[in-house]
Each structure stands twice: as structure tokens, then as C-alpha cells.
Amino acid sequence: DADVTQTPRNRITKTGKRIMLECSQTKGHDRMYWYRQDPGLGLRLIYYSFDVKDINKGEISDGYSVSRQAQAKFSLSLESAIPNQTALYFCATSDLRRGRTSTGELFFGEGSRLTVL
Amino acid sequence: GENVEQHPSTLSVQEGDSAVIKCTYSDSASNYFPWYKQELGKRPQLIIDIRSNVGEKKDQRIAVTLNKTAKHFSLHITETQPEDSAVYFCAASIGGTYKYIFGTGTRLKVLA
């Protein structure tokens, strides 16, 4: 089955370290997103990309950067991790159907749990 | 900025009863309102959605209603079952875009 795959699934790191979370998808979708989930705060958008050459900031982009290496790959980086970036991170994709109405549905990866000590 | 408020944060119901979760949004240009279900330890998955040109949509035991004037929408689950226990998130599109603002989630517990 076509899927959205995140690596690593779990990571513990120390303050100040650089961390990269990777996302790859076999769904053939153009749009890719990075969300952060914290208890009681829901899902907050960090960055999104509607095309390989299109990168946009979301609600909480400070302290994060992204790279869209290919249509199927979208990486999230924390240049210098801090404890309040401890969270569950989700990559998601959605389908852009040129000339047709997109469903708008987000397909999430399994999540990457990051702990910054 | 755009905002989506979701209530209640937790909800317990007896098996077989109905559950209602409510959300309000701030962006009058929002035109797409999905609901996601996240089971414990799993990824969120879409369960139902509604577009702004429709007032109500049903899919078996779940339904969503939309009141554009009041800028609120609700999820209704009838005849709840233990497998309905999960966290439910509402979301609203930012204007007519494919960016979404999520609510803070409702933890639903269905008591057997």
C-alpha cells in the first residue's frame, strides 16, 4: 500500500544538537506538511510545501527549517534543539489533482517522537 | 490570526449513547472542515469532512453539521461503541487554501 514513512520513529537528543526528521511518501502526492503535536495543543503546522520548489512557513516555524529534496521527500531540521521542542512530529501529504477538485484529505505518517534533554 | 476552538476537551459517554463535539472557527473565508480521529499511539485519520456549500453530511453513525453564519461546526456520533474511544480533532481551512488549523482535540471515552 502507498504510504507516508517517517524516520526516526523515536529519538532522544541533547540541547544544542542538530536533528533531522525525514519523511518519504509513495502516494504520489504533491503537497507535504510537517505538524507538531503537543498534549492539549492539538496539531500545529510548522512548514508546508505544495511543490518541490515551494516552501512555506506555518504557524510555528521558528527554530525549524525544511528541505523538499524531491516530490516524495520532505525533511524537517532542528538546527539547535531545545527542550520545548520535545513533541510528537507528524508528516502529512495530500493530493493536488490538477484540473480536478482535490479531496483535501491529509494522510499522516506514523509520527516521530522527539525528546530533547 | 486564524483560530479554531474545540470543546469539550474530554467527553465520557455510556456505550450506545450519543456524543457531540463542537468547534468554532474565526476565518469567515474557511470553506473546508475535516474531522480526524486518532486512536492511542496511532496516526490521525480522516473520518468525515464537510465543505461550506453543505449544511450537513452523514456517514453511517457519524455526522457533521455546519453553521456558516455562526462559524461553528459539530461532530455527532450516535450509538457509540468502545472502538469510538479516541481523540478527535476538528480543523478548518485557512481561507480557500489547503492549509488547515486544527482544534486542540477532544478525548472521547466510551464506557462499556
Side-chain angles (χ1 to χ4, degrees):
Chain A
D1 280 343
D3 205 358
V4 181
T5 303
Q6 293 183 231
T7 56
R9 295 290 313 283
N10 286 284
R11 181 73 183 269
I12 299 173
T13 191
K14 295 183 179 180
T15 297
K17 294 292 187 181
R18 184 179 187 274
I19 295 296
M20 178 180 285
L21 306 180
E22 299 186 339
C23 177
S24 63
Q25 50 111 349
T26 55
K27 288 187 168 294
H29 291 170
D30 287 319
R31 297 192 292 250
M32 299 188 74
Y33 309 75
W34 276 104
Y35 281 91
R36 167 178 172 162
Q37 184 175 18
D38 298 276
L41 295 179
L43 293 154
R44 292 181 292 167
L45 182 61
I46 306 172
Y47 271 96
Y48 63 101
S49 170
F50 285 177
D51 190 81
V52 173
K53 297 181 180 179
D54 176 72
I55 301 288
N56 303 281
K57 293 182 177 180
E59 304 167 73
I60 54 163
S61 58
D62 287 349
Y64 301 95
S65 62
V66 291
S67 172
R68 184 84 183 263
Q69 301 95 323
Q71 186 211 31
K73 295 183 182 296
F74 192 37
S75 300
L76 177 71
S77 293
L78 289 68
E79 295 301 326
S80 180
I82 56 177
N84 77 358
Q85 291 178 313
T86 293
L88 181 58
Y89 291 86
F90 282 103
C91 174
T93 72
S94 68
D95 189 14
L96 174 62
R97 301 187 182 192
R98 294 180 178 84
R100 295 186 290 170
T101 301
S102 173
T103 65
E105 179 177 0
L106 291 174
F107 294 87
F108 286 88
E110 293 181 293
S112 295
R113 186 169 295 281
L114 177 65
T115 302
V116 183
L117 302 176
Chain B
E2 296 85 1
N3 185 50
V4 174
E5 293 187 2
Q6 183 172 349
H7 299 282
S9 57
T10 61
L11 179 60
S12 294
V13 299
Q14 290 294 133
E15 182 178 358
D17 287 350
S18 296
V20 180
I21 303 170
K22 298 181 179 182
C23 290
T24 60
Y25 60 98
S26 60
D27 184 358
S28 57
S30 294
N31 64 358
Y32 175 67
F33 307 91
W35 286 88
Y36 286 82
K37 175 183 180 181
Q38 186 180 26
E39 297 178 356
L40 188 63
K42 300 289 182 65
R43 67 186 90 183
Q45 292 189 303
L46 180 74
I47 54 170
I48 196 168
D49 57 12
I50 192 168
R51 297 194 179 273
S52 58
N53 58 348
V54 176
E56 182 175 5
K57 184 177 179 180
K58 287 185 178 180
D59 183 3
Q60 300 182 356
R61 295 187 297 108
I62 61 173
V64 57
T65 58
L66 171 65
N67 182 328
K68 286 190 294 183
T69 302
K71 290 193 283 189
H72 66 70
F73 57 112
S74 300
L75 178 71
H76 304 255
I77 306 174
T78 59
E79 300 174 16
T80 53
Q81 300 168 3
E83 53 264 38
D84 294 329
S85 295
V87 177
Y88 292 81
F89 293 99
C90 63
S93 64
I94 298 174
T97 73
Y98 291 105
K99 293 186 303 177
Y100 310 114
I101 296 291
F102 280 82
T104 50
T106 296
R107 182 173 299 278
L108 174 65
K109 295 180 184 178
V110 179
L111 307 172

